[in-house]
Amino acid sequence: MSKDLALVTGGNGHLANNLIRLLVSKNQNVRTTVRDINNTAPFKGLDCEVVQANLLNKATLRKACKDVTHIYAVAANFSMWAKDPKTEIYDNNLKGTQNLFDSAKACGVKNIVYVSSVAALDFNTLPANVDNGYNTDRRNWYYNSKNDSDKLALALGETYNIRTVLILPSAMIGSQAHKLSYSNNLVYQILKGEIPVDTNVTLNWVDVKDVAFGAYQAMLKGKDQERYILSNPTHTTLQDSVNIAAKLYPELQLKTPKKVPKCLLYTVAGLMEFSSKLTGKEPLLQRHYLDMFYGLKQDYDIRKSKEELDFNPKPSKQALEEALRYLKTDWKVQ
């Protein structure tokens, strides 16, 4: 047994929980953080230490980092909408990053694999890659938070002399979920026939277990101050995604979503945004979301991850089929 102690933040999240399972299978000593210490179901049968901590509470983070040799910084606020997005999404993600690195520095942690996102890539040239810099579109507070916390993590790593390797996953889907992630929920909506129209927004599906392996490899082999995309090379359209589900489960009689003009989608989005102000619930469609993603092909250059991390994800169609099977057969509404 290694004397090293790995800390995985946000252990009940989709990626973090799969990563913990991988690390435990490699006979690593693992500690993980949760905000609710009574939420024990995700760790049943797992040989890992579970502690209470919150990224916005530096005292709890300091305790969690004690005796830790390396950190997988997975926990973050992944929300595309909030009543006060600047505070609830942007400020929280930046403050959480600062607090984690401050705590790591205080406790002598030497290595951090920081989970960023493909949201922090420049899509002006496709396929997007890490050499083209950061996303120049500043219309979404979640995207802004991933861009700026990505930069902050690299800057703090350099300042604090902590080896810092960044991974940038795309839409993670698949098994071993204890709550529906944003991406798994979209797959679940496809299964339930809740995709009536094609918004001309593409997805880049990747199996969460492949991302967990990429994170593990990043800790072992990733270069300090480098960023690695963990995705598939090419996108899948919403129509194709529904058609894959329809072919897999013909008895569901899923219908291919119809394409509608952007102007009509824009009108509907405006009405949904107005309604959300009254209900306080996230609108299913937002105008700035259409502005950012309508027609955008989410294709990525993953050669660097393949060469330096031995990252070789299963094809997106296979990842989607396996996620569909899992969510139809094994997922229980929590």
Side-chain angles (χ1 to χ4, degrees), residues 250-289:
E251 70 274 15
L252 295 180
Q253 298 183 325
L254 300 173
K255 295 180 180 178
T256 303
K258 291 182 170 60
K259 285 187 177 291
V260 296
K262 186 179 179 181
C263 57
L264 180 56
L265 289 172
Y266 214 72
T267 302
V268 172
L271 292 170
M272 287 181 170
E273 287 174 34
F274 178 75
S275 175
S276 76
K277 289 180 180 177
L278 302 176
T279 63
K281 295 180 180 178
E282 179 176 359
L284 294 174
L285 202 57
Q286 299 178 67
R287 284 170 294 181
H288 80 268
Y289 195 79

Side-chain angles (χ1 to χ4, degrees), residues 104-120:
K105 170 65 174 174
C107 294
V109 175
K110 299 299 182 189
N111 303 284
I112 293 180
V113 166
Y114 183 89
V115 181
S116 180
S117 166
V118 290

Side-chain angles (χ1 to χ4, degrees), residues 8-23:
V8 180
T9 61
N12 61 334
H14 196 202
L15 173 58
N17 201 258
N18 276 278
L19 177 57
I20 291 166
R21 292 171 190 278
L22 176 63
L23 296 176

Side-chain angles (χ1 to χ4, degrees), residues 102-273:
D102 287 350
S103 301
K105 170 65 174 174
C107 294
V109 175
K110 299 299 182 189
N111 303 284
I112 293 180
V113 166
Y114 183 89
V115 181
S116 180
S117 166
V118 290
L121 292 170
D122 183 357
F123 290 93
N124 287 315
T125 303
L126 295 176
N129 70 65
V130 292
D131 297 325
N132 289 347
Y134 287 87
N135 199 328
T136 55
D137 195 324
R138 302 291 294 185
R139 283 176 283 199
N140 179 275
W141 281 110
Y142 171 72
Y143 268 58
N144 292 350
S145 79
K146 299 314 287 186
N147 272 282
D148 295 348
S149 59
D150 182 307
K151 296 176 188 174
L152 180 61
L154 290 172
L156 291 172
E158 189 170 30
T159 300
Y160 291 164
N161 196 28
I162 299 173
R163 171 176 161 260
T164 301
V165 183
L166 268 59
I167 58 171
L168 290 72
S170 57
M172 293 177 284
I173 54 176
S175 62
Q176 294 299 110
H178 295 275
K179 54 186 177 182
L180 277 181
S181 66
Y182 194 91
S183 300
N184 257 354
N185 187 54
L186 183 52
V187 177
Y188 196 54
Q189 286 177 299
I190 290 173
L191 269 177
K192 293 193 293 181
E194 294 179 355
I195 311 291
V197 298
D198 183 1
T199 55
N200 202 21
V201 173
T202 68
L203 294 310
N204 188 295
W205 304 118
V206 64
D207 190 289
V208 69
K209 288 179 172 54
D210 287 329
V211 176
F213 176 76
Y216 172 70
Q217 290 290 94
M219 186 64 80
L220 289 180
K221 306 174 73 172
K223 295 176 182 175
D224 186 25
Q225 293 286 305
E226 292 290 339
R227 305 162 78 216
Y228 297 91
I229 299 172
L230 302 184
S231 73
N232 266 293
T234 54
H235 69 277
T236 305
T237 67
L238 202 51
Q239 282 193 339
D240 284 344
S241 297
V242 174
N243 288 340
I244 288 168
K247 190 173 181 181
L248 196 62
Y249 294 111
E251 70 274 15
L252 295 180
Q253 298 183 325
L254 300 173
K255 295 180 180 178
T256 303
K258 291 182 170 60
K259 285 187 177 291
V260 296
K262 186 179 179 181
C263 57
L264 180 56
L265 289 172
Y266 214 72
T267 302
V268 172
L271 292 170
M272 287 181 170
E273 287 174 34

Side-chain angles (χ1 to χ4, degrees), residues 28-49:
Q28 295 208 8
N29 294 322
V30 181
R31 176 185 294 162
T32 189
T33 67
V34 291
R35 281 183 292 184
D36 179 7
I37 198 67
N38 296 314
N39 183 14
T40 58
F43 312 103
K44 189 175 181 180
L46 277 179
D47 183 17
C48 69
E49 180 189 359

